[in-house]
Amino acid sequence: MDLIMYGSAILAICIIVYMLIKQMDIKITLFFIGIALMFIAIMMGNGISAKDFESTGAVWLDPLLAITDQFKSSLTSAGFIILVLGGYTAYMSYINANDVTVNVLTKPLGKIKSVYVLVPVVFLLGNLLSLVIPSASNLAIILLATLFPVLKKAGMSTLSAAAIIATSATIVPTPMGGDNVAVATELAQHAMFANMTVTDYVFRYHALVSIPTLIVIAATHYFWQKRMDKKMGIDTDHAEVELKDVQLVSGGKLFTAVYALLPVLPILFLIVIFILQSVSDLTINVSVEVVTLLSFAIAIICELIRKRTPKAVLDGTEHFFKGMGGAVPIVVLLVAASVFVTGLKSIGIIEALESAMVGIQGSNLGFILPLILVGLTALIVILSGSGTALFYSMVPLMVPLAEAAAINPIAVTIPMGLSGNLLRAVSPVAAVVLIVAGSVKKSPIEIVKRTSVPMIVGVVFMFVLSMIIFL
């Protein structure tokens, strides 16, 4: 039985890793492998290891019931939040509010005369903009068109500017991030973190590590880009990038200010509520989806005031619901990962891993589990250019493995989540690196040479800080 259990688990994991490295979509594969593992568990005499699972009475249908149960569970928790966030992001793009925010924040950069002072400033600004445009690739496209010409005009080398843009979307602490939503939802199911919200997770834990790490990366960028420019000689080439047509909101400075705030309005609401709860006895149980829907209503009112054509404004709200549909693949990936983990639990491999983790207890080697997971993340991200699928696949495993090793689950979730986002810009096959390289007419390897040191320094600093604070 042990041979079947370990053999099945190793084969399943190898298939997933291979597909990740080959940049294949793995959602359906996760479903099929999860089902196969559940059937293997049934043949081994085990039941399906899912919470509150009740058999259909026909064992060959039980794996499919486990999938539908997981969809129902996910769609009423993390899945719904992700859908709402996807809808709001799409609506902000439709009303051009994202473009306004980018323009307002990047316009003052032209007044900074020192090229290398611009390096950390632009890096931190880019990460701030990732709150508005969470996709690294989409943010890079916009920054290449709007910010790159400004940086070149200021005298910055092409490769320095490209490196900053390629690393803009990293680890800014935001309750709007799908990965943070998934982790917080998983943690809330366990007694130690009962009733945890994504706001609690981000501002009480994530920010303690991510904000210092961003500052360290910004400083590293400054010294590394300066050193590389000096080593290569100042880059005087004039890379041409096609300018993006930024649609600004008409109506004067007041409208511009309001529309610049709309994309970050849910985050502002959450921050204000979090501060009020921290400094007073005020109790407001407001979730991410509630403030997002409130922000959506405010955005509609703004559109009605600006356009004064109710029919056109109401027709435009359809983009919110289309955006929700566009976020469905993320929810499906989350469900598929849970089904895969259910299969692993059913054959007994998770219990075996937990038993192995118990041996770490009291040995002062609690950092081994987070280190292994960060190393695995680094391997997959660098080879495939994406760590999203791996991270979502591991979310259901993080808490039980951490508890078995007698360490704080936060010491696992923070390093693994942050390392994937940081190391994306170190992969020459990452979409964001390829987009930047193609736009500035440089090779991906040249871009990676400029991004690797700041990002690797960030990962090392982040890991050490996480172990100091949470282990």
Side-chain angles (χ1 to χ4, degrees), residues 205 208-209 212-213 366-367 370 407-408 410-412 414-415 459-471:
Y205 303 104
L208 293 180
V209 175
T213 301
F367 68 91
I407 62 174
N408 188 341
I410 303 293
V412 176
I414 295 290
V459 169
V460 173
F461 176 84
M462 172 275 299
F463 184 82
V464 173
L465 184 60
S466 297
M467 296 303 100
I468 291 172
I469 297 176
F470 302 122
L471 195 59

Side-chain angles (χ1 to χ4, degrees), residues 47-377:
I48 292 178
S49 184
K51 186 178 180 181
D52 300 325
F53 181 77
E54 295 183 10
S55 174
T56 60
V59 293
W60 58 278
L61 285 175
D62 283 354
L64 298 180
L65 176 61
I67 292 177
T68 58
D69 285 349
Q70 190 57 55
F71 263 110
K72 291 176 182 177
S73 174
S74 296
L75 286 172
T76 56
S77 54
F80 179 67
I81 300 173
I82 291 170
L83 293 179
V84 171
L85 293 177
Y88 190 72
T89 300
Y91 190 65
M92 289 299 101
S93 295
Y94 167 72
I95 65 175
N96 300 321
N98 286 342
D99 284 348
V100 175
T101 305
V102 171
N103 185 67
V104 167
L105 291 178
T106 57
K107 198 171 183 179
L109 293 178
K111 298 178 181 179
I112 300 176
K113 302 303 179 183
S114 174
V115 172
Y116 292 107
V117 168
L118 272 173
V119 170
V121 170
V122 173
F123 169 75
L124 294 173
L125 176 61
N127 276 270
L128 185 63
L129 286 170
S130 69
L131 295 172
V132 178
I133 306 165
S135 167
S137 299
N138 290 343
L139 180 58
I141 291 169
I142 292 174
L143 293 182
L144 281 165
T146 59
L147 186 58
F148 184 81
V150 175
L151 299 179
K152 288 294 293 177
K153 186 177 180 180
M156 187 178 292
S157 70
T158 296
L159 285 173
S160 289
I164 299 167
I165 291 172
T167 57
S168 289
T170 54
I171 57 171
V172 65
T174 171
M176 312 290 281
D179 51 352
N180 293 330
V181 170
V183 170
T185 303
E186 185 66 28
L187 288 171
Q189 297 177 19
H190 299 267
M192 182 178 176
F193 301 99
N195 301 318
M196 172 182 276
T197 65
V198 64
T199 305
D200 291 331
Y201 175 70
V202 169
F203 295 141
R204 295 186 189 280
Y205 303 104
H206 189 293
L208 293 180
V209 175
S210 56
I211 291 177
T213 301
L214 285 171
I215 294 171
V216 168
I217 294 174
T220 306
H221 253 308
Y222 172 86
F223 291 107
W224 183 244
Q225 304 311 328
K226 193 172 185 178
R227 181 182 184 278
M228 291 297 286
D229 281 348
K230 185 176 180 180
K231 182 179 178 181
M232 298 178 64
I234 298 299
D235 183 4
T236 56
D237 63 324
H238 299 283
E240 294 182 3
V241 177
E242 183 181 351
L243 295 181
K244 179 178 181 289
D245 184 18
V246 179
Q247 300 293 325
L248 298 183
V249 175
S250 59
K253 292 183 179 179
L254 178 60
F255 277 97
T256 299
V258 170
Y259 274 71
L261 285 175
L262 283 178
V264 294
L265 196 56
I267 299 171
L268 294 178
F269 277 136
L270 291 170
I271 291 174
V272 170
I273 293 169
F274 177 78
I275 292 173
L276 289 175
Q277 289 180 325
S278 299
V279 301
S280 68
D281 295 329
L282 185 66
T283 300
I284 305 176
N285 295 317
V286 179
S287 62
V288 171
E289 56 269 41
V290 169
V291 297
T292 304
L293 291 174
L294 173 60
S295 301
F296 178 46
I298 293 172
I300 294 173
I301 294 171
C302 291
E303 281 287 274
L304 285 169
I305 294 172
R306 182 170 72 96
K307 292 183 176 179
R308 299 178 184 178
T309 51
K311 184 180 184 304
V313 171
L314 293 178
D315 287 345
T317 59
E318 183 69 17
H319 287 80
F320 180 92
F321 305 106
K322 289 180 179 179
M324 290 182 70
V328 166
I330 300 175
V331 179
V332 174
L333 177 58
L334 192 60
V335 174
S338 297
V339 170
F340 174 64
V341 171
T342 298
L344 292 176
K345 286 181 178 178
S346 299
I347 63 173
I349 192 66
I350 302 303
E351 186 178 348
L353 286 175
E354 289 175 355
S355 298
M357 288 296 109
V358 170
I360 295 178
Q361 295 185 25
S363 61
N364 295 321
L365 294 175
F367 68 91
I368 292 296
L369 175 61
L371 185 61
I372 291 173
L373 293 178
V374 168
L376 179 61
T377 301

Side-chain angles (χ1 to χ4, degrees), residues 378-447:
L379 176 65
I380 298 300
V381 172
I382 292 173
L383 292 177
S384 69
S386 173
T388 305
L390 175 68
F391 179 79
Y392 282 117
S393 299
M394 293 299 298
V395 166
L397 296 178
M398 291 179 183
V399 176
L401 291 180
E403 289 179 341
I407 62 174
N408 188 341
I410 303 293
V412 176
T413 61
I414 295 290
M416 188 172 181
L418 270 57
S419 61
N421 285 313
L422 287 172
L423 291 169
R424 176 178 51 226
V426 181
S427 171
V429 295
V432 64
V433 172
L434 293 173
I435 288 169
V436 172
S439 298
V440 302
K441 298 177 176 60
K442 299 288 183 182
S443 73
I445 298 300
E446 287 180 287
I447 305 297

